[in-house]
Amino acid sequence: MPKPGGSRRAELLSLAARLFAERGFVSTTVRDIADAAGILSGSLYHHFDSKESMADEILTGFLDELFGTYAEIVAAGHGPRETLEAVVTASFDSIHRRPAEVAIYQNEAKHLMQLPRFAYLVDRNAEFRKLWNGILTDGVGAGVFRQDLDVELVYRFIRDTVWVAVRWYNPDGALTSDAVAKQYLGILLDGIGTKSG
Amino acid sequence: MPKPGGSRRAELLSLAARLFAERGFVSTTVRDIADAAGILSGSLYHHFDSKESMADEILTGFLDELFGTYAEIVAAGHGPRETLEAVVTASFDSIHRRPAEVAIYQNEAKHLMQLPRFAYLVDRNAEFRKLWNGILTDGVGAGVFRQDLDVELVYRFIRDTVWVAVRWYNPDGALTSDAVAKQYLGILLDGIGTKSG
Amino acid sequence: MPKPGGSRRAELLSLAARLFAERGFVSTTVRDIADAAGILSGSLYHHFDSKESMADEILTGFLDELFGTYAEIVAAGHGPRETLEAVVTASFDSIHRRPAEVAIYQNEAKHLMQLPRFAYLVDRNAEFRKLWNGILTDGVGAGVFRQDLDVELVYRFIRDTVWVAVRWYNPDGALTSDAVAKQYLGILLDGIGTKSG
Amino acid sequence: MPKPGGSRRAELLSLAARLFAERGFVSTTVRDIADAAGILSGSLYHHFDSKESMADEILTGFLDELFGTYAEIVAAGHGPRETLEAVVTASFDSIHRRPAEVAIYQNEAKHLMQLPRFAYLVDRNAEFRKLWNGILTDGVGAGVFRQDLDVELVYRFIRDTVWVAVRWYNPDGALTSDAVAKQYLGILLDGIGTKSG
DNA sequence: AATGAATGAGATTTCATTCAT
DNA sequence: GATGAATGAAATCTCATTCAT
């Protein structure tokens, strides 16, 4: 079980992530992954001790990176509006750079979370909620966001809209993740209606 | 194979829908459904000829109803803003009334769509896009929505935000689907920012 | 369980025979038969107590008739050659009149014979062999058939060639079973070679 | 899925062929085959992807060999009588060497042929008919076979008689396939009747 | 005579995983 | 690092049969 930075490991994880994202965790067979890697399914077990552990490693790596980025943004100490813009932009950027990982997180977390080994997903969810909800609450308190918002509801709307974009966002397309973020923030902050609408 | 319309069939479909929504289509076993119904798994095949055909029937029924409602709204002939409000409200209402069906549509359509028997999902998607995109385009043309919108992008944001709500909306909770719709439309049309923000 | 001459019974047996002949006994489901009769599979059990008993009744009826005919031929007391011609002709005729029954006998007897309830098939086989083999032996003894024949082998060749014809003989075709019998007897008795061949 | 050619595969196919021949394709369970091989039924799927594909491989292998032999005979360029003798003898020989395969071809082809994957059986049948029918037609034209033969009928009689022999021929018995062939050709060419008969 | 619902046994197949080589 | 063969558990599905109504 070669643990440290084997590049073969990384390749295999990347393949697995792509397949998990495309077909779903349960529907992706160990043989699918092995086929994609050009080896036999049994051979995968020289690298990982289970299919679950692949998903685990994929998610852990992704979440560590994502929350690291969030931490940096918070550490910068900007106001609620700028912070919101930054986390939204960073989130769309993570969709751009790690689409497979985001998709797995989006689609599988709910089910995986129920397994003890994935308990950390529950914690990450709580952490995530605390961060985003906090930004909104601060913003309402600071008067930069409307006073009549149901913060919890707005939090959910934003969270879902941002992450679900992984379903259609194309990393190779003309529309950059920054552009998507800008458009979304425009709508979110000012609405789609005209003054007269 | 009893005719569609038998009440036992409907009961079983309802149970299946709930389980498919909770655990996912692939992870729900035929035995799970049979257990829930208090019969043996083989007995289900007296009513349906496969697990797939259960999903088929669930989705067909749901989509027929949903698009029927949409058709009525369009037929009413209101302006873009009112029409948008009506379809958003109707969509949240369908989440309220058919949460399992919406969840299945959200979570499984992408995979099921690839099977020939579910080809109609592709058509429904196109129909859906045409309707919602059309409302937005009309609204921009009529000056009730901002001229600088990327309509396709806004369409996706709205679509995703509305439907993904099925993940957290609780039909038995205090927050009604109408209230959710109102909040969302408020944000969508006017943004969360204050004038001064 | 209506036993005596119900015409519904006869209809159902006829349907079953056709299906057993076409698809094979094991591959024909009770539901196939019920479908063909326009009733539900459970309803068949008002007429017969099992799928096996249908096959039983079909075979018994057919064999009684066939061996009745053979008995009449033997009772006529003709010479070996005429008797052989008569049983061959009668056999092709039974293919004409009862193609489904013959096909079942041909294709399923080997397997059914192993079940206790079909033990009579073994007896019938022995009876059949005794009759045909006897005719050939008599013929060789009487000098109407060649002295150098391996009677057992010739018996098998004739038996197989005649009965296997059920696979291609078409009761509705232009070629009558009598014509087929004549052609076959011509070949059998005189060969296909020319004197000079 | 190991490449065709693995020796384990060949062993398993041979076992399967024997069982298919004895019990019939549908009545032979995958477990029967696995039991005979001393492994679990699921393990068979390491080598073959379905029961059907086993039958497929068995039949393909057999037919390739058989038609190869026929091609050699035709290529030898003998007259109709010698060619007929050669193909009949070769056919009885194939019953001797591959009794299981012949039995499967005899008993199951009719049903398997209806499946798309076994469409080649239809082609082989046509090829077979063309060859045998051609020999007979040539022979009638050349005057070595009687002028009054219904060639199509004779073709069927010969075909059936030869192949159906698989039902009783015993590869381990005293009667060799060559002896059977000689007896049959004797009857076929000269008849069983005496000149005076 | 038939329906509608179910049983229960067993079939084929899937697949993560193990392990000797 | 990989192969090739297998396990074992569980999945979907089939189907003859039963039985209350």
Side-chain angles (χ1 to χ4, degrees), chain C residues 2 39-40 43 46-47:
Chain C
I39 58 179
L40 290 179
S43 305
H46 285 285
H47 301 277

Side-chain angles (χ1 to χ4, degrees), chain C:
Chain C
M1 198 72 36
K3 184 86 194 213
S7 76
R8 186 68 172 134
R9 250 183 107 73
E11 273 177 62
L12 293 172
L13 275 183
S14 170
L15 281 171
R18 191 143 54 229
L19 289 168
F20 289 159
E22 265 169 34
R23 311 182 188 181
F25 179 71
V26 278
S27 296
T28 302
T29 70
V30 169
R31 223 181 103 177
D32 288 338
I33 303 169
D35 283 354
I39 58 179
L40 290 179
S41 64
S43 305
L44 269 181
Y45 288 80
H46 285 285
H47 301 277
F48 307 97
D49 39 48
S50 71
K51 186 170 117 172
E52 257 179 32
S53 81
M54 290 188 231
D56 194 349
E57 209 161 317
I58 290 166
L59 285 173
T60 307
F62 165 67
L63 290 172
D64 286 352
E65 187 182 290
L66 178 67
F67 281 81
T69 305
Y70 285 166
E72 286 175 23
I73 292 170
V74 168
H78 298 299
R81 193 184 164 123
E82 288 72 25
T83 304
L84 180 67
E85 287 176 349
V87 294
V88 164
T89 303
S91 299
F92 277 115
D93 182 54
S94 82
I95 293 176
H96 176 76
R97 286 180 303 102
R98 302 256 180 276
E101 286 80 355
V102 174
I104 296 168
Y105 186 47
Q106 275 300 292
N107 300 326
E108 315 291 345
K110 184 181 148 205
H111 296 296
L112 294 176
M113 238 162 50
Q114 300 175 40
L115 307 172
R117 97 177 284 172
F118 289 96
Y120 63 86
L121 290 172
V122 181
D123 301 335
R124 288 299 200 184
N125 269 3
E127 193 180 347
F128 190 96
R129 190 184 164 288
K130 199 177 157 203
L131 170 65
W132 288 59
N133 217 318
I135 299 171
L136 290 171
T137 305
D138 288 356
V140 170
V144 288
F145 299 144
R146 284 163 40 192
Q147 305 294 310
D148 63 332
L149 294 181
D150 179 331
V151 169
E152 179 63 22
L153 213 47
V154 175
Y155 154 63
R156 288 174 187 162
F157 283 140
I158 302 179
R159 173 197 64 190
D160 290 349
T161 315
V162 169
W163 290 121
V164 158
V166 74
R167 292 197 187 170
W168 53 261
Y169 178 76
N170 175 11
D172 301 324
L175 193 66
T176 67
S177 74
D178 262 22
V180 173
K182 269 207 189 78
Q183 275 275 341
Y184 179 58
L185 286 167
I187 297 164
L188 178 65
L189 293 166
D190 298 324
I192 66 171
T194 51
K195 313 303 171 205
S196 61

Side-chain angles (χ1 to χ4, degrees), chain B residues 33-101:
Chain B
I33 303 170
D35 283 354
I39 58 178
L40 291 176
S41 65
S43 303
L44 271 180
Y45 289 82
H46 180 65
H47 301 277
F48 306 98
D49 37 49
S50 68
K51 190 171 112 171
E52 250 179 36
S53 81
M54 292 188 228
D56 193 349
E57 211 161 312
I58 290 166
L59 285 173
T60 306
F62 165 66
L63 290 171
D64 286 352
E65 187 182 291
L66 179 67
F67 280 81
T69 306
Y70 285 164
E72 286 174 24
I73 291 169
V74 169
H78 298 301
R81 191 185 167 121
E82 287 73 24
T83 304
L84 180 67
E85 287 175 350
V87 294
V88 164
T89 304
S91 299
F92 277 115
D93 181 55
S94 84
I95 294 176
H96 176 77
R97 288 179 304 102
R98 304 253 179 278
E101 286 80 355

Side-chain angles (χ1 to χ4, degrees), chain A residues 4 17 34 46-47 53 68 76 85 121 124 126 128 143 151 165 174 190:
Chain A
H46 285 286
H47 302 276
S53 80
E85 288 175 348
L121 291 173
R124 288 299 200 184
F128 189 96
V151 168
D190 298 325

Side-chain angles (χ1 to χ4, degrees), chain A:
Chain A
M1 200 68 39
K3 185 88 194 209
S7 76
R8 186 70 172 132
R9 249 183 109 74
E11 272 178 62
L12 294 171
L13 274 182
S14 171
L15 280 171
R18 190 142 55 227
L19 290 168
F20 289 158
E22 264 169 35
R23 313 181 185 182
F25 179 71
V26 278
S27 296
T28 301
T29 71
V30 169
R31 224 180 102 178
D32 288 339
I33 303 170
D35 283 354
I39 58 179
L40 291 179
S41 64
S43 305
L44 269 181
Y45 288 80
H46 285 286
H47 302 276
F48 307 97
D49 39 49
S50 71
K51 187 170 118 171
E52 256 178 32
S53 80
M54 291 186 231
D56 193 349
E57 209 160 317
I58 290 166
L59 284 173
T60 307
F62 166 66
L63 289 172
D64 286 351
E65 186 182 293
L66 178 67
F67 279 82
T69 306
Y70 285 166
E72 286 173 24
I73 291 169
V74 169
H78 298 299
R81 191 183 166 126
E82 288 71 25
T83 303
L84 181 66
E85 288 175 348
V87 295
V88 164
T89 303
S91 300
F92 277 115
D93 182 54
S94 82
I95 293 177
H96 176 77
R97 287 180 303 102
R98 304 257 179 276
E101 287 78 355
V102 174
I104 296 168
Y105 187 46
Q106 274 301 291
N107 299 326
E108 316 290 347
K110 184 182 149 204
H111 297 295
L112 293 175
M113 237 162 52
Q114 299 175 40
L115 307 172
R117 97 176 284 169
F118 290 97
Y120 62 86
L121 291 173
V122 181
D123 301 334
R124 288 299 200 184
N125 268 4
E127 192 180 349
F128 189 96
R129 189 184 165 287
K130 198 177 158 204
L131 170 65
W132 289 58
N133 217 316
I135 298 170
L136 291 170
T137 306
D138 288 355
V140 170
V144 288
F145 300 144
R146 284 164 39 194
Q147 305 295 309
D148 62 332
L149 295 181
D150 178 332
V151 168
E152 179 63 22
L153 214 47
V154 175
Y155 154 62
R156 288 174 186 162
F157 283 139
I158 301 178
R159 173 196 64 188
D160 291 349
T161 315
V162 169
W163 290 120
V164 158
V166 74
R167 293 195 186 172
W168 52 259
Y169 177 77
N170 175 9
D172 302 324
L175 193 66
T176 66
S177 74
D178 263 22
V180 173
K182 267 205 189 80
Q183 276 273 341
Y184 179 58
L185 286 167
I187 296 164
L188 178 65
L189 292 166
D190 298 325
I192 65 172
T194 51
K195 314 306 170 201
S196 61

